[in-house]
Amino acid sequence: MKAGVFQFCPKFGEVEGNLNLIENALSKVDADLIVLPELCTTGYQFTSHDEVEALCESVLDGSSIRRFIQLCEDRQFYLVVGIGERSDTGCYNSSVLIGPKGHIGTYRKVHLFNKEKTWFKQGDLGFPVWDIGLAKIGMMICFDWIFPEAARSIALQDADILCHPANLVLPFCPDAMITRSIENRIFTITANRTGTESREAQESFHFIGQSQMTSSKGDLFFRMGEDESGVHIVEIDPTQARNKQITETNQLWDDRHPETYIINRTGKN
Amino acid sequence: MKAGVFQFCPKFGEVEGNLNLIENALSKVDADLIVLPELCTTGYQFTSHDEVEALCESVLDGSSIRRFIQLCEDRQFYLVVGIGERSDTGCYNSSVLIGPKGHIGTYRKVHLFNKEKTWFKQGDLGFPVWDIGLAKIGMMICFDWIFPEAARSIALQDADILCHPANLVLPFCPDAMITRSIENRIFTITANRTGTESREAQESFHFIGQSQMTSSKGDLFFRMGEDESGVHIVEIDPTQARNKQITETNQLWDDRHPETYIINRTGKN
């Protein structure tokens, strides 16, 4: 299958313009799965709850989702899209998996970064995995990378590809995602945004680009530039992720010893 | 405190010679904690159970341990030493923490690599952490690096420094240990060996050197060369590892959500 990313610079609050940009960029792309950045329709730095309410949408029938579904139907591909979700239980920093037949699944970000805690509720859907036929897909968002338990939870449910919409500002994640790939024998696709966002009374955020994709053995297929915009697609065989054999006698899952692992902090300081 | 590694090329089976080499290298070193490679007294590639029995030793009162204790007493430092352990319950690929007053603790390798499964029993002591006053110390060995649960188990017990004797042959670990450091906010010291070992009817193993040390924020203090021999010591403040604050609103441990993590594989394929 052909999978990849679209890296670009969304403009804050300009949902219509961002959607046009995405549609134009993907209108002629030959791919099966494309991952877009976190919060790619709205931009990142909210300044009020009213703004969050106004810009977030239902991931089932919001106008952005309807346009994404139409795009998937037209192009016969799957999209993973980072989007601000408004629901009956509150607003979430979410990622949706959409296909030619519509909405497939939603992941709500579990590990919220910095002021996201002010604007979004903590994700309450765990780390689900969906089988789209071509591959089994899991999703995590940006800062989830720093918690190895996120990628592990996805891999332990037999995901082939970890899709990772991001708005990265710190420099560590691209290399860390190679580790996530190796330790789980899973393909990873990190779609990051570019540009700088400065909003009233907020610190200016510069996003590091460098969207990338790894094989299930941690080989880097590509890493885009810091300020590059564009689509990058590669051909992969996602079933390679189902081979967890590291050496003749080491199988990744058989070699785990959960009975020896400590899950919760035991100390007091 | 001053902490670091001694990277060198042990010769298989020449325990006496390897000990002399270690003692000479460390006889004038000004340090508080030095980490030595995995199986650094015996060499790596055993070819029979008789050989394992003959070369492994008690980590409480074997002759190698007694020499290491003497060295720690003379130099007033702590050592972490990778050693083949013979005990009442079998032989283990172990790491011992030794100080000026003697043996402090033993870690037995949980994730055995390749033919180690033929020669050693799986570690049965978990991932303990010891407080030596200067710092809290955890140990893991070589291939344990690929399982994020090993370093996590150590960090969740408030270790400041993760000591990591290794005999690395694959290229991924040095960069992955930076990720281990960042995701746990912990100092890491990987002591790897150098050289090539070829033993009868075994594949020839080339070890990649590149012993390294990271800060609790994933900064690389140093990475030694592939074939370099020598001691490398840096001054660190291990209490920095006790600050798990990533941003004003993100504290590494508070931000974990173990209730959402999947620990055991759920799939069937």
Side-chain angles (χ1 to χ4, degrees), chain A residues 29-171:
Chain A
V29 170
D30 177 22
D32 299 298
L33 171 68
I34 301 170
V35 183
L36 304 181
E38 179 184 13
L39 294 171
C40 72
T41 58
T42 56
Y44 185 72
Q45 288 187 290
F46 295 91
T47 57
S48 72
H49 284 285
D50 284 349
E51 208 172 57
V52 176
E53 282 285 330
L55 290 170
C56 290
E57 299 179 47
S58 161
V59 295
L60 298 176
D61 59 7
S63 60
S64 298
I65 289 296
R66 280 186 274 122
R67 283 179 68 173
F68 285 125
I69 292 172
Q70 187 62 54
L71 184 60
C72 288
E73 192 186 327
D74 292 346
R75 302 298 308 154
Q76 289 292 302
F77 57 36
Y78 293 83
L79 285 176
V80 168
V81 181
I83 191 166
E85 177 187 5
R86 194 175 63 230
S87 81
D88 292 345
T89 55
C91 290
Y92 299 89
N93 182 341
S94 295
S95 176
V96 283
L97 174 61
I98 306 165
K101 292 178 184 167
H103 172 276
I104 296 168
T106 303
Y107 164 70
R108 292 170 170 171
K109 190 173 185 178
V110 167
H111 304 99
L112 297 169
F113 184 71
N114 216 341
K115 292 195 177 150
E116 291 166 36
K117 292 188 181 188
T118 307
W119 312 126
F120 299 111
K121 293 186 73 173
Q122 185 199 313
D124 56 355
L125 301 175
F127 295 93
V129 169
W130 295 270
D131 189 345
I132 61 169
L134 289 165
K136 295 176 186 171
I137 307 286
M139 302 188 276
M140 66 180 194
I141 300 175
C142 203
F143 188 56
D144 283 327
W145 75 264
I146 210 172
F147 300 88
E149 296 89 348
R152 190 60 123 200
S153 295
I154 289 164
L156 282 170
Q157 297 171 85
D158 293 338
D160 304 314
I161 307 174
L162 170 51
C163 298
H164 182 216
N167 276 193
L168 297 165
V169 290
L170 301 174

Side-chain angles (χ1 to χ4, degrees), chain B residues 222-257:
Chain B
F222 63 84
R223 180 176 290 174
M224 295 179 73
E226 285 195 33
D227 300 308
E228 188 182 348
S229 285
V231 176
H232 210 123
I233 306 289
V234 296
E235 176 90 35
I236 62 168
D237 173 5
T239 63
Q240 288 174 347
R242 298 173 194 182
N243 177 3
K244 303 295 186 190
Q245 209 68 36
I246 301 170
T247 71
E248 216 171 284
T249 58
N250 292 104
Q251 204 269 8
L252 184 65
W253 292 159
D254 294 344
D255 277 11
R256 288 180 79 238
H257 296 290

Side-chain angles (χ1 to χ4, degrees), chain B residues 128-201:
Chain B
V129 170
W130 295 270
D131 189 345
I132 61 168
L134 289 166
K136 294 176 186 172
I137 308 285
M139 302 188 277
M140 66 180 196
I141 300 175
C142 204
F143 188 56
D144 284 327
W145 75 264
I146 210 173
F147 300 87
E149 295 89 349
R152 190 60 125 198
S153 295
I154 289 164
L156 282 170
Q157 296 170 88
D158 293 339
D160 304 314
I161 307 174
L162 170 51
C163 297
H164 182 215
N167 276 191
L168 298 166
V169 290
L170 301 174
F172 311 107
C173 178
D175 283 351
M177 288 303 292
I178 296 176
T179 302
R180 296 285 170 261
S181 174
I182 293 170
E183 72 199 16
N184 291 297
R185 291 246 154 178
I186 192 173
F187 290 83
T188 69
I189 308 177
T190 297
N192 195 32
R193 64 164 287 179
T194 60
T196 300
E197 215 180 64
S198 299
R199 303 216 60 226
E200 41 180 288

Side-chain angles (χ1 to χ4, degrees), chain B:
Chain B
M1 66 182 284
K2 289 174 179 165
V5 302
F6 174 40
Q7 172 171 301
F8 69 108
C9 178
K11 288 192 181 154
F12 189 88
E14 300 186 14
V15 177
E16 185 75 15
N18 294 329
L19 286 169
N20 291 341
L21 208 152
I22 294 165
E23 283 174 352
N24 287 338
L26 304 185
S27 65
K28 293 198 169 61
V29 170
D30 177 22
D32 300 298
L33 171 67
I34 301 170
V35 184
L36 304 180
E38 179 184 14
L39 294 170
C40 72
T41 59
T42 57
Y44 185 72
Q45 287 187 288
F46 295 91
T47 56
S48 72
H49 284 286
D50 285 349
E51 207 171 57
V52 175
E53 283 284 331
L55 289 170
C56 289
E57 300 179 45
S58 162
V59 295
L60 298 176
D61 59 8
S63 60
S64 298
I65 290 294
R66 279 187 274 121
R67 284 178 68 174
F68 284 125
I69 292 172
Q70 187 62 54
L71 184 60
C72 288
E73 193 185 327
D74 292 346
R75 302 297 310 154
Q76 290 292 302
F77 57 36
Y78 293 83
L79 285 176
V80 167
V81 182
I83 191 166
E85 176 187 6
R86 194 175 63 232
S87 80
D88 292 344
T89 55
C91 290
Y92 299 89
N93 183 342
S94 295
S95 176
V96 283
L97 174 62
I98 306 164
K101 292 178 182 167
H103 172 275
I104 296 168
T106 303
Y107 164 70
R108 292 170 170 171
K109 190 173 184 177
V110 167
H111 304 100
L112 297 169
F113 184 71
N114 217 340
K115 293 196 176 149
E116 291 166 36
K117 292 187 180 187
T118 308
W119 312 126
F120 299 110
K121 293 186 72 172
Q122 185 199 315
D124 56 355
L125 302 175
F127 296 93
V129 170
W130 295 270
D131 189 345
I132 61 168
L134 289 166
K136 294 176 186 172
I137 308 285
M139 302 188 277
M140 66 180 196
I141 300 175
C142 204
F143 188 56
D144 284 327
W145 75 264
I146 210 173
F147 300 87
E149 295 89 349
R152 190 60 125 198
S153 295
I154 289 164
L156 282 170
Q157 296 170 88
D158 293 339
D160 304 314
I161 307 174
L162 170 51
C163 297
H164 182 215
N167 276 191
L168 298 166
V169 290
L170 301 174
F172 311 107
C173 178
D175 283 351
M177 288 303 292
I178 296 176
T179 302
R180 296 285 170 261
S181 174
I182 293 170
E183 72 199 16
N184 291 297
R185 291 246 154 178
I186 192 173
F187 290 83
T188 69
I189 308 177
T190 297
N192 195 32
R193 64 164 287 179
T194 60
T196 300
E197 215 180 64
S198 299
R199 303 216 60 226
E200 41 180 288
Q202 304 263 340
E203 60 180 319
S204 175
F205 267 33
H206 180 70
F207 302 95
I208 64 162
Q210 301 177 67
S211 295
Q212 69 176 34
M213 201 169 150
T214 69
S215 78
S216 57
K217 292 184 175 180
D219 302 306
L220 201 56
F221 288 124
F222 63 84
R223 180 176 290 174
M224 295 179 73
E226 285 195 33
D227 300 308
E228 188 182 348
S229 285
V231 176
H232 210 123
I233 306 289
V234 296
E235 176 90 35
I236 62 168
D237 173 5
T239 63
Q240 288 174 347
R242 298 173 194 182
N243 177 3
K244 303 295 186 190
Q245 209 68 36
I246 301 170
T247 71
E248 216 171 284
T249 58
N250 292 104
Q251 204 269 8
L252 184 65
W253 292 159
D254 294 344
D255 277 11
R256 288 180 79 238
H257 296 290
E259 73 284 1
T260 69
Y261 303 152
I262 289 173
I263 310 303
N264 291 300
R265 186 161 166 268
T266 53
K268 289 168 192 164
N269 300 309

